[in-house]
Amino acid sequence: MKDMTDEEYDALDERLTKTIPTLGPNGEGFFSGKGVQVVSLDGETARILNAKALAARQTPSELIASLIRKDLTAAHAYK
């Protein structure tokens, strides 16, 4: 990534500050069904998740995906 000039930085800052996120399930907005999913956790669960993710050198999302895959694999093997 190249360094930005002050003018470029100011223009980007203004654009991002004035941009209203597009929400919806159509896949066009950042918080859409095809984008980032916002999940609410209680404080204790968030602390545990972050600690485990840090220890595993993963993001919380990667850790959750890994746990779900393990659970699905175990469930499939149990059948």
Side-chain angles (χ1 to χ4, degrees):
M1 184 171 179
K2 70 176 189 124
D3 292 332
M4 291 190 289
T5 65
D6 287 341
E7 292 81 17
E8 290 171 324
Y9 176 82
D10 290 339
L12 180 61
D13 180 57
E14 185 172 335
R15 178 176 167 222
L16 294 176
T17 302
K18 292 183 178 181
T19 301
I20 298 171
T22 304
L23 305 176
N26 62 358
E28 295 177 6
F30 181 75
F31 293 106
S32 69
K34 293 181 184 175
V36 174
Q37 299 290 321
V38 177
V39 177
S40 178
L41 302 173
D42 63 88
E44 185 64 22
T45 302
R47 281 191 292 280
I48 292 169
L49 177 60
N50 286 323
K52 289 181 74 75
L54 184 63
R57 295 185 178 188
Q58 295 178 311
T59 65
S61 294
E62 290 170 334
L63 179 62
I64 290 169
S66 174
L67 293 171
I68 290 171
R69 280 192 300 276
K70 285 179 189 175
D71 190 48
L72 291 174
T73 301
H76 183 67
Y78 183 71
K79 284 184 173 181

